[in-house]
């Protein structure tokens, strides 16, 4: 059986594979490494655009699509019958959690303003001090999956309180359902978005959601851009009532003339939370394990069901 992966370096990271497995590098759909027949396991490029899904119809023997991303929104609804879609749950926990912690601390401690002052060679103590702080804050994590847990664990030493929200409540784990959001939002200082993009989460953070957040609260989006209604966010942050830290936007990339760029209380990074040097070793360890499970006739891990 053939396996297509998007990185040449991935060959050395997969670990030992059964002898019947032939691994080929396919990083560009316009330049296929061999015939499409016999490809049973496909690993598309990381953060592949929707256009990449067109190749699905050309792989007659495909059985598994293994993503390198935690989110599967580009692929859900496009997978042929009989093909299993798997995400990279767990691979991005360290990197995305690090980004969230960095974004929160940067915004609360006023780093964006100080970076702008440094670029102008200004000692801006009187402008920025005293800054806000993380200690004593109450943080709401919307999306209590593996990344949400990683964020909580990394923030725990900062003397903060937590509320976690998931699609369905898990009282035994202290996790609320989404129906608790109207009650929780007015009580927290930081809201971290880590949900996948589904029909249920698209536009979740709308005008009413933002209006329920307390004055001065920080919204952190490490999920997907369309989880937030951009126009509603612009209205709240432009008036200075809320702050935001965004690794994802809608639209994405954010156009050069978009008003979010100019707002001093908004920190924007170009969808880099998962793009770290440790990504490929972690990702291909998962891919290798999934290939071995498939060859052994076992159900792969991380199967995407209902967009999750």
């Amino acid at each position: 059986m053939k396996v297509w992966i998007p990185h040449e370096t991935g060959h050395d990271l997969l670990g030992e594979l059964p002898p019947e497995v032939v691994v080929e590098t396919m990083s560009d759909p316009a330049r296929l490494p061999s015939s499409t027949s016999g490809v049973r396991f496909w690993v598309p490029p990381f953060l592949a655009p929707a256009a990449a899904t067109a190749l699905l119809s050309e792989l007659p023997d495909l059985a598994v699509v293994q993503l390198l991303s935690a989110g599967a929104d580009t692929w859900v609804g496009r997978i042929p019958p009989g093909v299993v879609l798997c995400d990279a749950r767990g691979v991005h926990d360290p990197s995305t959690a690090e980004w969230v912690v960095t974004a929160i601390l940067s915004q609360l401690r006023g780093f964006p303003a100080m970076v702008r002052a440094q670029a102008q060679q200004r000692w801006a103590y009187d402008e920025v001090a005293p800054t806000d702080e993380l200690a004593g804050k109450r943080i709401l994590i919307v999306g209590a999956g593996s990344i949400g847990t990683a964020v909580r664990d990394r923030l725990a030493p900062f003397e903060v309180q937590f509320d976690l929200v998931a699609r369905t409540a898990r009282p035994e784990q202290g996790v609320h359902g989404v129906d608790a959001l109207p009650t929780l939002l007015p009580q927290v200082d930081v809201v971290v978005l880590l949900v996948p993009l589904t029909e249920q989460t698209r536009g979740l953070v709308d005008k009413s959601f933002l209006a329920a957040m307390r004055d001065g609260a920080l919204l952190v989006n490490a999920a997907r851009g369309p989880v937030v209604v951009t126009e509603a966010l612009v209205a709240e942050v432009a008036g200075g009532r809320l702050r935001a830290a965004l690794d994802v936007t809608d639209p994405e990339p954010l156009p050069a003339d978009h008003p979010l760029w100019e707002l001093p209380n908004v920190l924007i990074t170009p969808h880099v939370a998962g793009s770290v040097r440790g990504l490929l070793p972690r990702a291909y360890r998962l891919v290798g394990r999934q290939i071995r499970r498939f060859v052994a006739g076992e159900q792969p891990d991380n199967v995407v069901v209902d967009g999750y």
Side-chain angles (χ1 to χ4, degrees):
M1 60 167 270
K2 288 196 290 189
V3 174
W4 280 359
I5 63 174
H7 302 93
E8 191 66 31
T9 55
H11 292 257
D12 295 330
L13 299 172
L14 290 168
E16 186 175 353
L17 298 176
E20 64 266 35
V21 175
V22 176
V23 181
E24 299 176 339
T25 304
M26 200 287 288
S27 56
D28 182 357
R31 300 170 58 187
L32 302 183
S34 64
S35 167
T36 57
S37 63
V39 178
R40 301 283 285 156
F41 196 107
W42 178 32
V43 182
F46 180 51
L47 298 180
T53 63
L55 186 61
L56 290 167
S57 62
E58 301 179 32
L59 300 173
D61 303 313
L62 187 65
V64 177
V65 174
Q66 173 63 60
L67 304 180
L68 298 181
S69 60
D73 46 282
T74 298
W75 300 84
V76 171
R78 296 182 170 93
I79 301 297
V83 177
V84 175
L85 175 65
C86 302
D87 63 27
R89 185 180 190 272
V91 167
H92 301 279
D93 293 4
S95 55
T96 302
E98 285 180 2
W99 182 91
V100 170
V101 173
T102 302
I104 292 173
L105 287 169
S106 295
Q107 279 291 68
L108 295 183
R109 296 307 305 268
F111 274 35
M114 288 184 271
V115 169
R116 289 190 291 270
Q118 179 181 352
Q120 299 167 1
Q121 300 178 328
R122 289 188 299 105
W123 190 261
Y125 180 88
D126 292 337
E127 299 173 28
V128 300
T131 71
D132 202 345
E133 60 182 334
L134 181 53
K137 291 292 190 288
R138 185 169 175 179
I139 299 174
L140 172 61
I141 299 175
V142 184
S146 63
I147 296 177
T149 300
V151 169
R152 181 196 61 193
D153 292 347
R154 284 159 176 77
L155 287 173
F158 286 91
E159 302 174 23
V160 296
Q161 294 178 288
F162 294 102
D163 294 289
L164 278 75
V165 166
R167 178 173 43 166
T168 55
R170 302 196 294 270
E172 71 283 358
Q173 300 176 23
V175 178
H176 303 272
V178 291
D179 56 343
L181 282 172
T183 301
L184 293 171
L185 287 170
Q187 304 178 41
V188 301
D189 304 290
V190 180
V191 178
V192 181
L193 305 175
L194 293 167
V195 293
L197 179 61
T198 67
E199 289 308 307
Q200 290 71 41
T201 63
R202 185 180 295 274
L204 171 69
V205 183
D206 56 10
K207 183 178 180 180
S208 61
F209 184 110
L210 295 167
M213 293 174 61
R214 63 169 51 165
D215 290 353
L218 170 64
L219 180 74
V220 180
N221 191 1
R224 287 291 186 266
V227 170
V228 177
V229 178
T230 302
E231 294 76 11
L233 177 62
V234 170
E236 288 286 3
V237 295
R241 196 182 74 81
L242 299 179
R243 296 173 283 182
L246 312 173
D247 189 47
V248 289
T249 59
D250 184 26
E252 187 176 307
L254 198 64
D257 59 352
H258 200 280
L260 280 173
W261 287 118
E262 302 296 328
L263 298 174
N265 53 345
V266 178
L267 170 65
I268 299 172
T269 60
H271 204 153
V272 296
S275 298
V276 295
R277 292 187 178 93
L279 167 61
L280 293 187
R282 284 195 296 272
Y284 279 104
R285 280 197 296 270
L286 169 64
V287 173
R289 185 168 69 248
Q290 295 282 69
I291 294 171
R292 289 186 286 274
R293 290 180 66 87
F294 175 71
V295 174
E298 301 174 1
Q299 177 77 355
D301 294 322
N302 298 358
V303 175
V304 176
V305 178
D306 296 332
Y308 288 80

